[in-house]
């Protein structure tokens, strides 16, 4: 009953949202509607003033920097006709003088982008006179089967993802390498109205700079050496869907400028063409670097940073969500063995005590190695990488003299199986086995000397 009363109270509050950025308007509109508010949007200060003359509002939320009338000018003009209207200003540029001017002219608060949704909700409730009793912050959405989130900190990440997924807003997903940023992008797409459309993923760090522009925007036949046919770019493929730019900080400054254009109006050109193409793809970006530091160091455009970072989702490292370690390890073992293997209590202790600097990716590789080396359906400590055993204080694995030859044969079979699974890619095979690439090459050379065929 209390929740129903709070929702009814919110429903009676009408809010005008003013922002020239469609992504930001979509975020605020979608979020506040999930909280029970009635919202109307305007794409300029002039549009906002015209809307205020035709309808009654309980609050206005406006961006500060807009073409035409700025947020401050819109605030001052609105105050002349609506002296008691609460106004909340938001901006990507935290300018103290603007903040002072805004408060002097009657703004109830001044928030910086990327907006903290909890802070926004608190400001709106206070300005519209709604009691601070908590409303549900996210719809109850079941996590997809491929997601493990036992820890409260990861549940909070997906709570925020549920709030912003229905909007069209751009999202910056941050976190250390291997934490699962791509999984978060998968969930956002699955929960969005674009779920039936494509989800296109581009790893900007894995594609040479000379080829990345063609990968993203496409090219025309004959536009450069080797361009034997027209190529459709990934932004074009992602139309009506979502595109994830992973490791976006690896982009050159020239490509950053072209990406900025896409974030502004969805327009781009294929290499070798003067014809503009439009895409309505929703843009998600991910980075394991601190983009604010990259901006300060002159390696990343400040304007692009603010365009991408409408909302930031930070995925915590695995060491900060230890409740997820064993469920994740169990999920990986189940996938790799079709549910036929399990690990001993000692292995569970090792997994929980190791800090996992490589995060979820390192955990999966360790489980793949353990499954390959296990001679039964029980995974034992000796099947884990040495560094994982040592973190739990276990000695290095010892082998009885009579079993040395048998263990070497098991190791050879495991390596050959891993090579086959990774299409003879030495780097990926070594990573899966938890050894260095040099060590793998040394072992393969030894197998050749023993007369075994190694592709």
């Amino acid at each position: 009953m209390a929740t129903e009363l709070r929702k009814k109270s919110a429903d009676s509050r009408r809010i005008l949202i003013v922002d020239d950025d469609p992504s930001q308007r979509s975020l605020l509109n979608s979020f506040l509607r999930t909280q029970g508010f009635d919202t109307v949007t305007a794409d300029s200060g002039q549009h906002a003033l015209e809307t205020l003359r035709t309808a009654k509002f309980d609050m206005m939320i406006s961006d500060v920097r807009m073409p035409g009338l700025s947020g401050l000018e819109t605030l001052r003009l609105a105050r002349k006709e609506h002296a008691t209207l609460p106004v909340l200003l938001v901006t990507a540029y935290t300018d103290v003088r603007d903040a002072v001017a805004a408060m002097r002219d009657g703004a109830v608060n001044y928030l910086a982008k990327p907006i903290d949704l909890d802070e926004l909700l608190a400001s709106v409730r206070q300005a519209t006179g709604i009691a601070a009793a908590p409303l549900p912050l996210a719809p109850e959405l079941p996590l997809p089967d491929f997601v493990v989130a036992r820890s409260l900190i990861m549940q909070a990440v997906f709570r925020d993802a549920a709030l912003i997924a229905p909007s069209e807003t751009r999202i910056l997903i941050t976190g250390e390498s291997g934490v699962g940023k791509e999984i978060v992008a998968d969930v956002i797409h699955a929960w969005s109205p674009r779920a039936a459309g494509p989800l296109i993923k581009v790893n900007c760090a894995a594609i040479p700079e000379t080829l990345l522009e063609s990968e993203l925007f496409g090219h025309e036949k004959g536009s450069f050496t080797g361009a034997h046919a027209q190529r459709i770019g990934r932004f074009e493929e992602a139309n009506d869907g979502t595109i994830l730019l992973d490791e976006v900080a690896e982009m050159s400054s020239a490509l950053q400028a072209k990406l900025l254009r896409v974030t502004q109006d969805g327009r781009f050109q294929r290499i070798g063409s003067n014809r503009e193409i439009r895409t309505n793809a929703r843009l998600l970006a991910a980075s394991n670097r601190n983009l604010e530091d990259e901006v300060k160091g002159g390696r990343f455009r400040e304007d692009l940073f603010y365009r991408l970072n409408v909302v930031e989702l930070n995925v915590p490292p695995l060491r900060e969500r230890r409740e997820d370690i064993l469920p994740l390890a169990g999920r990986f073992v189940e996938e790799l063995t079709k549910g036929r293997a399990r690990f001993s209590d000692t292995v569970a202790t090792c997994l929980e005590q190791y800090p996992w600097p490589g995060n979820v990716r390192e955990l999966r590789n360790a489980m793949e190695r353990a499954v390959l080396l296990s001679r039964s359906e029980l995974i034992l400590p000796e099947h884990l990488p040495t560094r994982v055993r040592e973190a739990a204080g276990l000695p290095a694995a010892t082998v009885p003299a009579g079993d040395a030859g048998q263990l070497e044969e098991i190791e050879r079979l495991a390596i050959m199986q891993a090579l086959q699974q990774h299409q003879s890619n030495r780097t990926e095979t070594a990573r899966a086995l938890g050894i260095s690439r040099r060590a793998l090459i040394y072992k393969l050379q030894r197998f050749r000397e023993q007369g075994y065929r190694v592709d």
Side-chain angles (χ1 to χ4, degrees):
M1 177 63 73
T3 300
E4 291 177 0
L5 289 174
R6 288 196 302 272
K7 192 174 190 306
K8 183 177 180 181
S9 179
D11 282 339
S12 66
R13 304 303 198 271
R14 199 174 198 199
I15 300 176
L16 176 61
I17 300 168
V18 191
D19 201 303
D20 63 309
D21 183 350
S23 182
Q24 185 72 33
R25 287 201 310 273
S26 175
L27 169 67
L28 298 182
N29 186 54
S30 174
F31 173 69
L32 290 174
R33 281 185 176 274
T34 65
Q35 305 308 312
F37 293 95
D38 180 18
T39 58
V40 175
T41 63
D43 59 7
S44 68
Q46 187 61 45
H47 185 190
L49 294 176
E50 294 170 359
T51 304
L52 285 172
R53 295 188 188 106
T54 60
K56 185 179 185 308
F57 290 89
D58 297 285
M59 184 177 187
M60 180 172 76
I61 302 174
S62 176
D63 189 22
V64 169
R65 300 202 179 187
M66 297 183 292
L69 290 177
S70 71
L72 288 175
E73 292 168 330
T74 303
L75 166 63
R76 291 166 189 150
L77 291 173
R79 281 286 181 181
K80 291 181 180 180
E81 298 181 26
H82 310 276
T84 61
L85 178 69
V87 178
L88 172 66
L89 293 180
V90 295
T91 182
Y93 305 88
T94 51
D95 188 308
V96 175
R97 288 173 299 178
D98 280 353
V100 171
M103 301 304 285
R104 184 184 62 234
D105 289 335
V108 296
N109 206 344
Y110 187 97
L111 302 180
K113 298 176 184 178
I115 292 177
D116 182 304
L117 296 179
D118 291 334
E119 186 179 7
L120 169 69
L121 186 58
S123 295
V124 171
R125 282 175 174 156
Q126 183 178 14
T128 56
I130 297 177
L135 288 170
L137 281 179
E140 293 295 329
L141 297 175
L143 283 170
D145 292 339
F146 58 84
V147 176
V148 172
R150 298 284 181 84
S151 61
L152 292 178
I153 193 170
M154 277 306 292
Q155 290 174 18
V157 170
F158 288 113
R159 179 206 72 179
D160 290 345
L163 285 170
I164 58 184
S167 72
E168 293 293 303
T169 190
R170 294 177 295 276
I171 303 169
L172 177 62
I173 307 171
T174 60
E176 296 177 7
S177 180
V179 293
K181 298 186 289 293
E182 190 175 320
I183 295 294
V184 173
D186 289 337
V187 173
I188 291 171
H189 178 72
W191 283 347
S192 77
R194 296 169 173 261
L199 171 58
I200 304 296
K201 301 177 183 179
V202 182
N203 187 336
C204 300
I207 302 172
E209 181 182 335
T210 54
L211 299 179
L212 185 56
E213 181 178 0
S214 174
E215 180 76 14
L216 293 175
F217 305 121
H219 64 252
E220 297 294 344
K221 180 180 179 180
S223 56
F224 55 84
T225 303
H228 302 301
Q230 184 189 71
R231 176 189 174 88
I232 302 299
R234 307 295 267 173
F235 268 101
E236 203 167 344
E237 289 180 3
N239 198 49
D240 293 329
T242 306
I243 184 168
L244 168 66
L245 300 184
D246 199 5
E247 303 308 340
V248 69
E250 302 296 331
M251 275 190 180
S252 67
S253 57
L255 260 185
Q256 289 177 31
K258 294 187 176 183
L259 178 59
L260 179 64
R261 171 75 188 280
V262 178
T263 66
Q264 290 172 334
D265 56 18
R267 298 177 185 269
F268 64 93
Q269 296 174 348
R270 296 193 193 118
I271 299 174
S273 172
N274 294 323
R275 184 173 68 90
E276 285 193 331
I277 300 172
R278 292 200 61 151
T279 180
N280 69 359
R282 182 186 191 176
L283 177 58
L284 309 180
S287 179
N288 60 12
R289 297 189 192 179
N290 185 317
L291 288 190
E292 289 188 76
D293 290 343
E294 296 298 302
V295 169
K296 292 175 184 176
R299 296 177 294 275
F300 201 82
R301 293 180 62 114
E302 182 179 29
D303 47 5
L304 179 58
F305 169 68
Y306 286 123
R307 296 292 296 183
L308 296 177
N309 195 20
V310 176
V311 175
E312 179 177 342
L313 285 181
N314 180 260
V315 185
L318 191 54
R319 61 184 174 274
E320 293 181 7
R321 44 184 172 115
R322 292 190 174 275
E323 303 95 322
D324 293 335
I325 293 175
L326 292 184
L328 280 168
R331 171 68 60 83
F332 296 147
V333 168
E334 182 179 353
E335 291 175 358
L336 293 164
T337 67
K338 294 182 172 56
R340 293 192 301 269
R342 57 189 176 86
F343 39 76
S344 68
D345 292 341
T346 306
V347 166
T349 300
C350 291
L351 298 179
E352 289 182 316
Q353 293 187 5
Y354 182 64
W356 301 106
N359 294 296
V360 179
R361 184 180 295 126
E362 183 185 10
L363 174 61
R364 182 181 178 85
N365 290 340
M367 291 299 94
E368 186 170 352
R369 177 189 191 276
V371 167
L372 289 170
L373 294 179
S374 175
R375 285 174 281 178
S376 67
E377 294 182 1
L378 181 64
I379 295 175
L380 300 172
E382 54 261 37
H383 302 140
L384 298 175
T386 302
R387 61 185 180 277
V388 179
R389 294 195 304 270
E390 290 178 345
L394 296 180
T398 58
V399 182
D403 290 345
Q406 182 183 8
L407 187 56
E408 184 171 339
E409 175 63 12
I410 291 172
E411 180 188 50
R412 185 186 69 79
L413 292 174
I415 289 174
M416 300 309 295
Q417 182 181 350
L419 267 175
Q420 185 177 11
Q421 288 180 346
H422 294 280
Q423 292 78 47
S424 297
N425 185 308
R426 267 55 168 170
T427 301
E428 292 298 324
T429 301
R431 185 178 293 122
L433 293 170
I435 62 177
S436 68
R437 190 174 187 275
R438 178 176 296 181
L440 174 62
I441 292 173
Y442 171 79
K443 291 177 185 292
L444 294 177
Q445 181 60 36
R446 193 179 72 221
F447 296 158
R448 289 192 187 94
E449 293 171 354
Q450 293 171 350
Y452 293 106
R453 179 181 175 180
V454 178
D455 293 330

